[in-house]
Structures are given as structure tokens and as C-alpha cells.
Amino acid sequence: MLSAESAAIVRATLPAVGAALDAITTRFYETMFAERPELLDGLFNRGNQRSGEQRRALAGSIAAFAGMLLDRPDERPDELLGRIAHKHAAVGITDDQYVIVHKYLFAAIVEVLGEAVTPEVAAAWDEVYWLMAGALIAAEARLYAEAGAHGGDTWRQWRVVERRAETADVVSFVLRPADGGPAPAARPGQYVSVRVRMPDGVSQLRQYTLSGFGEDGLRRITVKRVHGGDQPEGEVSNLLYATVKEGDELTLSAPFGDVTLDDVHTAGKGAPVVLASAGIGCTPITAMLQHLADTGSDRRVLLLHADTSEPAHALRADMTALADALPGGSRVFWYEEQPEGGTATAPGTVRAGTMDLTGVDIPEGAAAYLCGPLPFMRHVREQLIEAGVAPRDIHYEVFGPDLWLAHN
């Protein structure tokens, strides 16, 4: 809980600090990486640094946390903290790094805001920072303990036992622990970090959802290469797509992620499930479908997926087979590009265009899980709420820094 004196100061200064957060976080990263370039080697995602996503995510999380402390002083913002803690644990953040961040962040605040940062203002925002940092350190310690890790070290070698082409731009890697030991426990919807050495000698991490589970500890990740168009090149995904073959080894973290399929939900035990995805967002959804099928679930499950075309739909065969095998399963796929002569698939299961839930029978009391681009998830969330799904029962997964929490 924020002290009354600090709360008054933070409330008075939040508009000014919030308006300057983009400039503050820009200066923060510039100075920190100039003086501590080793942090870009195996920790920070330089792709997100170039795009500005990491900067915007940090600014949004600080503003959101401060606002929550003021608006709901007796509540801990567990959703915000939990999402960040899982992301941090997946890259091995340690306690001492919060001290480093504090040093450069508060230097940037003083540099950008100047004389407005009085000792009292600095002390109040310092309290905000350490309340947030302390909660994250505690949450990350619990996650590391659950993973059996010491000091954030959850890394392990995995061998590629199969490389499987999914589409022209998507490949799956089926993996087994290289040491022959048991695979760590994972929940449907969780992701792992993959650490690779880039051609320039710098290590980079990226998160990939476990898109499938197999017997004897087999796990699957599904990677989409990003090249050209309106998106920056995906350096790690492109490297994995181009170079990794059967028999190679990859360095993976333990599984993390708080958006996982619950067998008992706020909507009620055995509640219906709506699984909605777009593009490569199908990966956690496929893992959830597999869990439901493997456990013999008789819940009503509605699978919704949108893609540019049927050939571009990664894991389509898996999603179709798993949904059709569920006693209460049904599915609808949307494709923006239709084959010549129309769609030859079963009527009612494939539609043209982007996802539109008009006329789709959304089960009452459903719990929904979304994954895909942010505009897609916002649009689908609005439609689900209009259809009667409770907002508290709509869960989403974001690939990369979470830029939604501050606006949701």
C-alpha cells in the first residue's frame, strides 16, 4: 500500500509523469545500454528495442501500476504483476537487475523532468517503484521455486527430434530433453524462451508457445518467419526457420505464462470454452485443444480461427482433428482469401472474410481465450461481451511486450 503522503504527491504528479513517460523510458534505455551493453546480450530483446514496443510496455506498466495504487489502494494488481512476472521469469530476470533499472530509470526521470522532481516527488515515485519491484521479485521467486531453478537459471538443452513444415512460412520443432531426463511440467497455453547465438555473436531470447505435448516428454514449438511487408524482420524466428534441423540442440527455459486453460473456472466447473485465434496465435489454442482432447473433456468447446487463407493456416489439420474429436466440439474458420470456385470444406465451418461472430452461437456462461494481433483481440472481445460473455471470463495472450494492459 502506498503511504498517504506519497499517494497525494503521485496523484498530483501522475499527469506530468505520465505525459513524459515515453521520453523518460527512451532516455532510460539509451543510457542504460550505452553504459551496460552486456544487458543486450541474452536478456533484452533488441528487436523490441528498435520497434519501441519495450519502451511503450514499460511506460504503460508504470503508469498502470501507479494508477491502480491510487484508484484501488486496498487491492494488489495481481493481473498486471502476474503477467510481468511470468515474462521476467522466462528470460531469467534476477533481483540485482531491479537495482540497475532503478538507477537508470530515476536518472532519466530527473533528466527529463528537471526541477519538477523535488526530493519529495522523487521519494514518492521511488516508493511506487519499489512497491512494484518488491511484488515482482516475490512473484518471480515463487515461479523459479516452482520450476526448481536457482537464481533464475531455468535453461536446459533440448534436441530437435523432428522438423515439421506447417505452411510456407511456419515450421514446428518437436523437442526432447537432450539429457534424457523428464520434461518440466507445463500447462496448456504456456510458453518457453529459446536462447540462440546470432551471427554477430550476441545472444537473443524469444518466447514461443508450446503448441503441442507428446508422450515421453516430447514438446512442440511452432515458429513463423517474418520477412518483408510492413513488419520488421524477425531475426530469431528467421534464423530458427532457416537453420535448425533434426538432431540440432536448442536452449530452452522452463515453461512460463499465466494465460492457461483452467479446468475449474470462474464461470463454473466444466463451463463451455470459446477458443479464438488469428494467424500464429493458433499455437496456444492448439495446446488447449490437445489438453481437452487428452483429458476426455465433455465440455462444450467452440473453436474460432481467422487467417489470410487456408494454405496459410498453421496447425489447421491439428485444430480440425482435435475439435472434431471432442464430444462437445464445434469450429468455424474465417479466410480472407478464398480458393477459386469457393470453399470446398463442410458448409458452415468455413466463412469468407475476417472474423465476425454474427450468427455464431456463443455458449452461455463460457470462458474465452484469445490469441492474435491486438486489434483482432480487441474486436473479438467486444463481440464476445455483446454476446453475453462476462469480461472477467475473457483471457488473452500477447506475443511480445504487453501493450494492452494500460488500455484495457
Side-chain angles (χ1 to χ4, degrees):
M1 183 182 295
L2 196 61
S3 67
E5 181 180 357
S6 292
I9 294 172
V10 170
R11 189 180 301 278
T13 57
L14 182 56
V17 173
L21 272 174
D22 189 66
I24 290 169
T25 53
T26 298
R27 185 58 183 158
F28 156 69
Y29 281 119
E30 288 175 350
T31 305
M32 184 173 68
F33 291 140
E35 296 186 11
R36 302 291 299 265
E38 74 276 8
L39 294 175
L40 277 173
D41 188 358
L43 185 61
F44 283 91
N45 180 327
R46 61 187 180 183
N48 289 335
Q49 293 298 321
R50 285 193 295 267
S51 70
E53 286 192 0
Q54 187 64 62
R55 183 186 73 244
R56 292 190 294 272
L58 175 61
S61 65
I62 293 171
F65 184 77
M68 291 174 182
L69 288 178
L70 298 175
D71 295 341
R72 299 189 292 274
D74 296 327
E75 297 180 24
R76 188 176 61 187
D78 286 337
E79 181 181 6
L80 171 66
L81 294 172
R83 185 69 55 90
I84 296 172
H86 277 272
K87 297 284 187 181
H88 283 183
V91 300
I93 294 292
T94 53
D95 300 4
D96 59 304
Q97 289 162 345
Y98 284 95
V99 178
I100 297 172
V101 168
H102 178 268
K103 172 186 173 180
Y104 291 103
L105 180 60
F106 275 74
I109 291 172
V110 171
E111 185 173 339
V112 171
L113 297 180
E115 295 180 356
V117 186
T118 65
E120 293 77 16
V121 170
W125 281 95
D126 191 70
E127 188 176 341
V128 171
Y129 176 84
W130 284 114
L131 279 173
M132 186 173 185
L136 288 172
I137 289 170
E140 289 152 23
R142 289 192 294 272
L143 292 174
Y144 289 139
E146 291 171 3
H150 176 70
D153 184 9
T154 70
W155 302 103
R156 190 174 177 187
Q157 293 301 111
W158 289 67
R159 182 167 291 110
V160 178
V161 299
E162 182 184 357
R163 175 187 169 116
R164 182 184 305 163
E166 303 290 356
T167 73
D169 290 319
V170 179
V171 63
S172 287
F173 300 112
V174 180
L175 306 158
R176 183 193 307 278
D179 59 12
R187 296 190 293 275
Q190 289 193 306
Y191 51 81
V192 295
S193 288
V194 178
R195 183 171 65 195
V196 297
R197 181 75 66 181
M198 304 306 296
D200 62 2
V202 173
S203 292
Q204 285 286 279
L205 312 178
R206 295 296 185 272
Q207 284 75 50
Y208 297 99
T209 303
L210 293 171
S211 60
F213 305 81
E215 297 179 359
D216 301 324
L218 292 178
R219 298 282 167 79
R220 180 179 66 185
I221 60 172
T222 301
V223 177
K224 179 179 181 178
R225 64 174 175 175
V226 180
H227 56 97
D230 57 356
Q231 299 182 62
E233 295 285 330
E235 62 171 348
V236 174
S237 294
N238 287 3
L239 182 69
L240 294 175
Y241 183 96
T243 65
V244 175
K245 58 187 182 301
E246 185 175 324
D248 288 348
E249 289 190 8
L250 294 175
T251 305
L252 269 62
S253 73
F256 295 101
D258 63 333
V259 183
T260 59
L261 184 67
D262 291 332
D263 291 319
V264 179
H265 220 279
T266 52
K269 183 177 176 62
V273 181
V274 176
L275 304 174
S277 58
I280 199 62
C282 63
T283 52
I285 299 305
T286 304
M288 293 178 185
L289 278 171
Q290 183 181 351
H291 172 77
L292 290 165
D294 289 349
T295 56
S297 175
D298 60 359
R299 300 165 73 173
R300 182 177 175 192
V301 178
L302 174 60
L303 172 64
L304 311 171
H305 181 78
D307 228 307
T308 55
S309 67
E310 188 170 303
H313 180 174
L315 305 176
R316 180 178 61 86
D318 288 24
M319 297 177 80
T320 299
L322 290 167
D324 292 352
L326 290 167
S330 60
R331 57 183 168 87
V332 184
F333 298 153
W334 285 260
Y335 298 125
E336 296 176 42
E337 301 171 8
Q338 294 293 301
E340 293 184 9
T343 300
T345 323
T349 63
V350 177
R351 302 186 181 187
T354 58
M355 189 176 293
D356 181 356
L357 302 188
T358 302
V360 176
D361 182 18
I362 306 299
E364 184 177 353
Y369 296 83
L370 319 179
C371 190
L374 285 178
F376 162 81
M377 292 195 293
R378 288 194 178 103
H379 178 61
V380 172
R381 181 177 184 271
E382 290 173 0
Q383 293 184 82
L384 289 172
I385 292 172
E386 290 175 1
V389 180
R392 68 177 181 277
D393 289 325
I394 301 176
H395 312 273
Y396 68 93
E397 183 59 273
V398 173
F399 293 149
D402 194 336
L403 304 179
W404 195 6
L405 277 171
H407 309 286
N408 203 27

